[in-house]
Amino acid sequence: MDTASVQLPTLSGVDQDSAGSPTVEFENGVQLAGLSSAEAKERLRIDGPNELPSSKPRSVAAIAWEVVKEPIFLLLVACGTIYLFLGDKQEALMLLGFVFVVTGISFYQEHKTERTLEALRDLSSPRALVIRDGKPIRIPGREIVKGDVVVLSEGDRVPADSRVISCVNLSCDESLLTGESVSVRKAASAAPVDAVRPGGDDLPFVYSGSLVVQGRGVAVVQTVGLHTEIGKIGKALQSVHLEKTRLQKETGRWVRILAIVGGLLCLLVVLLHGLTRGSWLDGVLSGLTLAMAILPNELPVVLTIFMALGAWRISKWHVLTRRVPVVETLGSASVLCVDKTGTVTMNRMSVQNLYADGEFHHVGKDPNPSLPEKFHSLIEFSILANHRDPFDPMERALNEFGKSRLANTEHLHGDWILVRQYPLSPELLALSHVWRSPTGLDYVIAAKGAPEAVADLCHLKPEQMDALLSQVGSMANEGLRVLGVARAYFQKSQLPRKQHDFDFEFLGLVGLADPVRPGVAKAVEECYSAGIQVVMITGDYAGTAANIGRQIGLRNPDQCITGPELDSMDDDELRQRVRTTNVFARVVPEQKLRLVRAFRANGEIVAMTGDGVNDAPALKAADIGIAMGGRGTDVAREAAALVLLDDDFSSIVHAVRLGRRIFDNLKKAIAYTLASHLPIIGLTLIPVMMKWPLILLPFHVAFLHLIIDPACSIVLEAEREESTVMQHPPRAANEPLFGRRTFAISILQGLSVLGVVLAVFAAAHYSGRGEQEARALTFSTLVMANLALIFTNRSWGRTILATLHSPNPSLWWVIGGTIGFLGLAIFVPFLRELFRFSVLHPVDLAVCVGAAACSILWFEALKVWKTRGTQLQEGVRNTVTDGTYRQQNGGP
């Protein structure tokens, strides 16, 4: 949980109760400290977490059943049964032993996936703002307990059934419970009242799962979990499930194709063996061995683990994956549309410049801490237009500035009563607060907002408006966020419905600065090197946006499109303009949807950030919707595929880099899987056709699976990204996993290994070294070649020697375990007899290692040739660039 400066809608002060504990006081006189941390912890222990029943992680029996259904398991059991039928108990026991080992690996993989998903479930628990120990803090919704004081704002999901004790214009959408789409108005009740069912206006209750669509409020939790209304009607939440991705569908299609081909080949092998050699039982064993060799049962496991662990790795960079399929889309992102405030900047404003009565006051350049009298009213009414304890960074900056510069003056009004609020709307980008002093009868109204909106409230003349906009432009060109401030007085008893009905007086302008986050400029540069267009979208003025764009290194920051200009364009013109425009200013959330559609119409893969209720359509329409975790609403988070937990643009770039790494490693794992299966298929099929002795028996293939499974799903998944991963354009969204290049590399690797091991077997067989010795040499070469494939597939751009410096602990566990088991099979008499090997000498093992190394030399040579070609091209490019520069600048 984290402490936050929370915008409490009706907070009138922080006091202490009789015991000295801090309390929060509301305008109706209620003082609440909230629960203590110890009391909340005890209630959580007694009542349990605030969540509805969800599917639990799969039990041991469920995982075992999944393993039993796997084809490789059934094939091992079938082979073991045949050996028992033949009376060969040793081979049967060995195969059954492999059954347990394969099951153990599956359990490990499943357990790792379940732990990852559980971590994601914990991260994705909606957060709620509560008052604990007299302080506002933000906690996961599942930690809400009875008696908690919850702060609700527009766009939030209500975390538990609660009684409203204070509210301002609070309305909720309870259609999830009632089926009625019209929102219902809420009223406050300081005294406890009996709970009623959802539906109807002016009830003092809000219900778990309902959506706050307007206003703000504070409520005390009455019931949690199963005891809420949503729990009673059985709307149970479900656990996170991995969805069927495009890659999973593609992999499933390949598995089906290979299964059909494998079945036909198995039948062919059985017939050939039975008809040519007369041994139908051996033919069945050969067919089952071939089936084990052909069926790539690792592929579905690889995809599941890569996607789940990919989401987990991305969460380490403070990016929560709400929909796992987006992991495969991240590497294709070609446009990043980001908010300025809080994402590109720190979202920590400070007052820098003031304008009133035709004069400027540069706060940052003035060493005198006192504020000239001319600007007192401007700051006074800026504070009155704020909440008392604001969450908004601009309001916090104004309040802090006023408290420091207007202390001990008559311009601070801690005892005034807030009577009414007129909220900001898309039609009028200004808000007003109506106040009354304890001793006064007149209303005092403070307004602030976009300068042109506040000027409109003040009914300025055209020449006054032009002069004002000129001053606004000069402040905005300095990179400042500019607010207009006005005041009004009202004597009638009945307040008007609209802000325009007050007689406002324009007071001046306040310019605030929001510093750029460290690392954003470097992240933008990295995006450009990766072929990704970075687009900044803001509600600020074009001058402010351009200034920030220059600071972070955006291309063409002065070519800006404003919201009104965007509205005047048709779709075709907008499609053309977005190709070269990277700054959009004075944009309202609804216009983001048009921008998303324009980029997508140009064939771009769009990542779009958003935080408000109105951002939800754009987040849904984007290929990668990214909600703000810090300041974003629950509605935005639900519409998004990713949640940016720290609201930092650099985290998005890290996520894109990881997305590219995940896809690249997935291609390597798939290529390795297919390449490692090809020699096994060949060594099973060719001896039958050539009438050689059988080289591989079922337990040999099972042993090889013990290398292939963890190598592709654990070792290659953990490989770090290539250094050039962000130096090439985004991959096409429809690029297949089994593309021509991947398929060609895989086939060539598999054929080269097959050629080497066949050469070793043929040399041993025709030199008269005996069946068991030839089998031992061939199998040892095949195992070593598999290890060589793992090493060479760690990187398709760097040689094995270059990758040895890249840490990967899983690699050495797999390599060490494989060599150790192979040594036991060769040198332990009991195991050697089971594997039907003969003793190998050091020279024989050296031949096996040398032959295995030869199988991947061509791929290593290809890497070296490609690297040198790239360096040569880069050198030529630099030479041409340098020559052009000298020519243009009069150099020699």
Side-chain angles (χ1 to χ4, degrees):
M1 67 182 66
D2 59 308
T3 303
S5 280
V6 180
Q7 182 175 319
L8 298 175
T10 52
L11 178 68
S12 60
V14 178
D15 205 344
Q16 290 188 338
D17 61 16
S18 58
S21 301
T23 62
V24 177
E25 182 178 350
F26 300 94
E27 65 176 6
N28 53 11
V30 177
Q31 292 187 352
L32 291 173
L35 299 176
S36 68
S37 298
E39 188 177 8
K41 185 177 180 180
E42 178 64 17
R43 292 191 183 187
L44 184 64
R45 184 187 68 80
I46 296 173
D47 297 334
N50 176 41
E51 57 188 9
L52 302 178
S54 61
S55 300
K56 296 180 179 179
R58 284 180 294 176
S59 64
V60 172
I63 296 177
W65 175 243
E66 292 293 329
V67 174
V68 167
K69 293 191 295 183
E70 284 293 324
I72 191 68
F73 180 92
L74 299 175
L75 290 171
L76 285 171
V77 172
C79 292
T81 303
I82 291 175
Y83 277 114
L84 279 177
F85 179 74
L86 293 174
D88 199 339
K89 295 181 180 179
Q90 289 183 338
E91 279 78 1
L93 291 174
M94 175 178 284
L95 282 172
L96 294 176
F98 278 125
V99 168
F100 287 107
V101 176
V102 170
T103 304
I105 291 177
S106 298
F107 272 126
Y108 172 77
Q109 293 172 332
E110 292 286 350
H111 179 60
K112 193 169 185 178
T113 303
E114 287 292 342
R115 282 192 306 171
T116 301
L117 292 176
E118 188 61 35
L120 292 176
R121 291 187 196 108
D122 290 342
L123 278 174
S124 60
S125 176
R127 296 194 297 173
L129 296 175
V130 301
I131 297 172
R132 294 260 179 98
D133 299 313
K135 297 179 181 179
I137 61 173
R138 195 182 299 273
I139 64 174
R142 67 191 307 272
E143 296 180 11
I144 293 285
V145 297
K146 287 196 296 185
D148 261 327
V149 178
V150 182
V151 181
L152 301 171
S153 299
E154 182 176 319
D156 288 347
R157 286 283 179 190
V158 178
D161 288 6
S162 311
R163 174 172 56 85
V164 179
I165 59 175
S166 182
C167 65
V168 176
N169 299 330
L170 184 63
S171 296
C172 293
D173 177 359
E174 297 177 351
S175 58
L176 182 67
L177 301 171
T178 65
E180 296 294 332
S181 58
V182 178
S183 60
V184 292
R185 186 173 59 252
K186 298 296 176 181
S189 173
V193 293
D194 294 334
V196 296
R197 300 295 300 273
D201 287 323
D202 298 323
L203 294 176
F205 297 102
V206 288
Y207 302 94
S208 178
S210 60
L211 174 67
V212 179
V213 295
Q214 185 179 6
R216 294 177 299 275
V218 179
V220 177
V221 174
Q222 305 284 90
T223 55
V224 297
L226 278 174
H227 303 290
T228 60
E229 289 295 323
I230 196 172
K232 293 177 183 176
I233 63 176
K235 299 286 186 181
L237 297 174
Q238 299 299 313
S239 63
V240 177
H241 290 287
L242 291 177
E243 303 175 32
K244 279 283 186 182
T245 68
R246 180 177 55 82
L247 295 183
Q248 287 174 319
K249 294 175 183 177
E250 183 183 353
T251 303
R253 185 169 63 253
W254 273 88
V255 170
R256 287 193 298 273
I257 292 172
L258 291 174
I260 294 171
V261 173
L264 295 175
L265 287 177
C266 291
L267 182 59
L268 179 62
V269 167
V270 173
L271 292 174
L272 282 175
H273 206 284
L275 293 174
T276 59
R277 302 190 184 189
S279 176
W280 290 96
L281 203 53
D282 285 344
V284 172
L285 282 174
S286 298
L288 291 174
T289 303
L290 181 61
M292 293 170 61
I294 292 177
L295 192 65
N297 62 289
E298 300 90 358
L299 295 187
V301 176
V302 166
L303 278 178
T304 301
I305 289 177
F306 265 72
M307 292 298 108
L309 289 182
W312 175 74
R313 290 188 190 281
I314 290 173
S315 73
K316 293 293 184 181
W317 288 100
H318 310 290
V319 180
L320 170 64
T321 306
R322 295 194 68 253
R323 285 190 276 279
V324 175
V326 79
V327 172
E328 72 180 66
T329 310
L330 275 169
S332 299
S334 57
V335 174
L336 292 183
C337 297
V338 295
D339 291 319
K340 178 184 74 69
T341 305
T343 308
V344 171
T345 62
M346 295 289 291
N347 200 22
R348 191 168 58 238
M349 307 292 287
S350 61
V351 176
Q352 295 293 315
N353 204 352
L354 303 175
Y355 175 80
D357 290 338
E359 291 187 18
F360 281 104
H361 178 66
H362 296 277
V363 175
K365 299 178 182 178
D366 186 0
N368 188 355
S370 62
L371 187 67
E373 180 69 31
K374 179 178 292 188
F375 300 95
H376 283 195
S377 294
L378 174 63
I379 298 301
E380 174 187 2
F381 280 84
S382 298
I383 296 174
L384 288 173
N386 293 344
H387 295 89
R388 290 216 185 261
D389 188 11
F391 183 60
D392 180 81
M394 287 196 300
E395 293 193 348
R396 284 161 53 188
L398 288 168
N399 282 11
E400 290 169 4
F401 181 80
K403 289 177 181 177
S404 65
R405 300 300 179 96
L406 298 179
N408 302 317
T409 71
E410 73 279 7
H411 297 289
L412 296 179
H413 309 285
D415 58 344
W416 282 21
I417 299 170
L418 180 63
V419 179
R420 182 171 175 179
Q421 299 181 56
Y422 293 86
L424 180 144
S425 68
E427 294 77 24
L428 181 63
L429 298 178
L431 59 85
S432 298
H433 286 181
V434 180
W435 298 88
R436 176 179 279 168
S437 71
T439 58
L441 298 177
D442 294 345
Y443 295 110
V444 179
I445 302 94
K448 79 171 189 300
E452 63 268 32
V454 175
D456 182 47
L457 286 176
C458 298
H459 306 290
L460 296 186
K461 298 177 181 179
E463 59 273 14
Q464 293 176 310
M465 180 70 81
D466 291 340
L468 175 65
L469 292 180
S470 175
Q471 306 302 335
V472 171
S474 66
M475 295 174 72
N477 288 333
E478 298 175 10
L480 301 179
R481 182 80 174 269
V482 185
L483 293 176
V485 181
R487 69 182 172 193
Y489 299 97
F490 195 77
Q491 297 179 340
K492 298 179 182 179
S493 59
Q494 186 70 30
L495 289 172
R497 294 178 57 191
K498 298 185 298 182
Q499 298 181 67
H500 269 292
D501 295 332
F502 293 112
D503 186 15
F504 279 106
E505 173 192 359
F506 191 82
L507 293 178
L509 302 172
V510 179
L512 301 101
D514 185 7
V516 172
R517 285 182 180 268
V520 170
K522 182 178 179 181
V524 170
E525 182 182 358
E526 189 174 9
C527 286
Y528 285 141
S529 69
I532 301 172
Q533 180 183 357
V534 181
V535 176
M536 185 176 70
I537 302 173
T538 178
D540 269 347
Y541 282 92
T544 306
N547 184 281
I548 297 297
R550 285 190 289 270
Q551 290 185 49
I552 65 175
L554 282 185
R555 292 173 180 169
N556 305 321
D558 295 315
Q559 295 182 15
C560 174
I561 294 177
T562 64
E565 291 172 347
L566 192 151
D567 282 337
S568 67
M569 297 179 189
D570 60 27
D571 291 342
D572 289 338
E573 183 183 359
L574 183 59
R575 283 182 57 185
Q576 294 302 319
R577 294 289 300 275
V578 296
R579 296 181 190 274
T580 56
T581 302
N582 299 318
V583 178
F584 293 85
R586 309 305 284 167
V587 172
V588 295
E590 290 82 356
Q591 293 172 326
K592 287 186 177 182
L593 182 58
R594 279 200 72 195
L595 290 174
V596 170
R597 288 172 173 167
F599 280 115
R600 295 196 68 187
N602 288 338
E604 306 288 358
I605 303 300
V606 184
M608 168 70 77
T609 66
D611 56 6
V613 177
N614 292 337
D615 289 330
L619 293 176
K620 274 192 172 182
D623 298 280
I624 307 167
I626 306 172
M628 300 296 103
R631 68 181 191 278
T633 61
D634 283 351
V635 177
R637 286 192 282 269
E638 288 177 12
L642 298 176
V643 177
L644 200 59
L645 299 178
D646 60 359
D647 295 1
D648 190 347
F649 172 74
S650 301
S651 298
I652 304 175
V653 181
H654 283 302
V656 172
R657 184 190 298 113
L658 282 172
R660 292 188 173 194
R661 163 189 164 173
I662 291 163
F663 191 83
D664 287 349
N665 285 348
L666 188 55
K667 285 201 299 185
K668 296 173 189 175
I670 296 300
Y672 165 75
T673 301
L674 297 180
S676 60
H677 275 269
L678 195 57
I680 302 174
I681 295 170
L683 291 179
T684 306
L685 189 59
I686 292 175
V688 176
M689 301 171 62
M690 298 291 294
K691 296 186 179 181
W692 289 346
L694 295 179
I695 301 175
L696 297 181
L697 300 172
F699 42 82
H700 295 135
V701 179
F703 180 91
L704 291 168
H705 272 283
L706 300 185
I707 306 172
I708 298 171
D709 285 2
C712 59
S713 63
I714 299 174
V715 175
L716 293 177
E717 190 280 330
E719 276 300 315
R720 303 188 64 158
E721 67 269 17
E722 302 282 358
S723 59
T724 59
V725 72
M726 293 294 281
Q727 296 176 12
H728 55 78
R731 64 177 176 85
N734 57 354
E735 178 183 333
L737 183 61
F738 299 95
R740 292 181 179 179
R741 181 169 179 261
T742 304
F743 191 74
I745 288 175
S746 181
I747 294 298
L748 288 174
Q749 286 182 348
L751 289 176
S752 62
V753 172
L754 176 59
V756 166
V757 294
L758 281 177
V760 170
F761 179 81
H765 177 65
Y766 289 114
S767 64
R769 298 189 68 172
E771 178 184 327
Q772 292 192 345
E773 188 172 358
R775 179 181 292 115
L777 279 167
T778 306
F779 184 77
S780 299
T781 304
L782 181 57
V783 170
M784 293 299 174
N786 255 284
L787 299 184
L789 283 175
I790 297 173
F791 275 109
T792 197
N793 278 298
R794 290 185 67 195
S795 172
W796 287 1
R798 295 175 293 156
T799 62
I800 292 177
L801 292 177
T803 58
L804 290 178
H805 302 290
S806 181
N808 189 338
S810 303
L811 168 70
W812 300 110
W813 280 106
V814 171
I815 298 298
T818 300
I819 294 175
F821 281 123
L822 180 62
L824 292 175
I826 293 173
F827 296 111
V828 176
F830 171 71
L831 293 176
R832 186 169 62 240
E833 184 179 346
L834 284 178
F835 274 83
R836 298 183 185 179
F837 290 163
S838 65
V839 178
L840 293 182
H841 302 290
V843 176
D844 298 324
L845 294 175
V847 170
C848 296
V849 173
C854 290
S855 68
I856 51 101
L857 281 179
W858 70 270
F859 193 52
E860 292 296 297
L862 182 64
K863 294 178 188 178
V864 174
W865 176 77
K866 185 179 178 182
T867 301
R868 288 183 178 176
T870 302
Q871 291 174 346
L872 180 61
Q873 290 177 358
E874 188 66 27
V876 171
R877 189 182 300 112
N878 291 338
T879 301
V880 172
T881 303
D882 186 50
T884 303
Y885 174 81
R886 290 199 304 270
Q887 188 177 25
Q888 291 175 347
N889 292 274

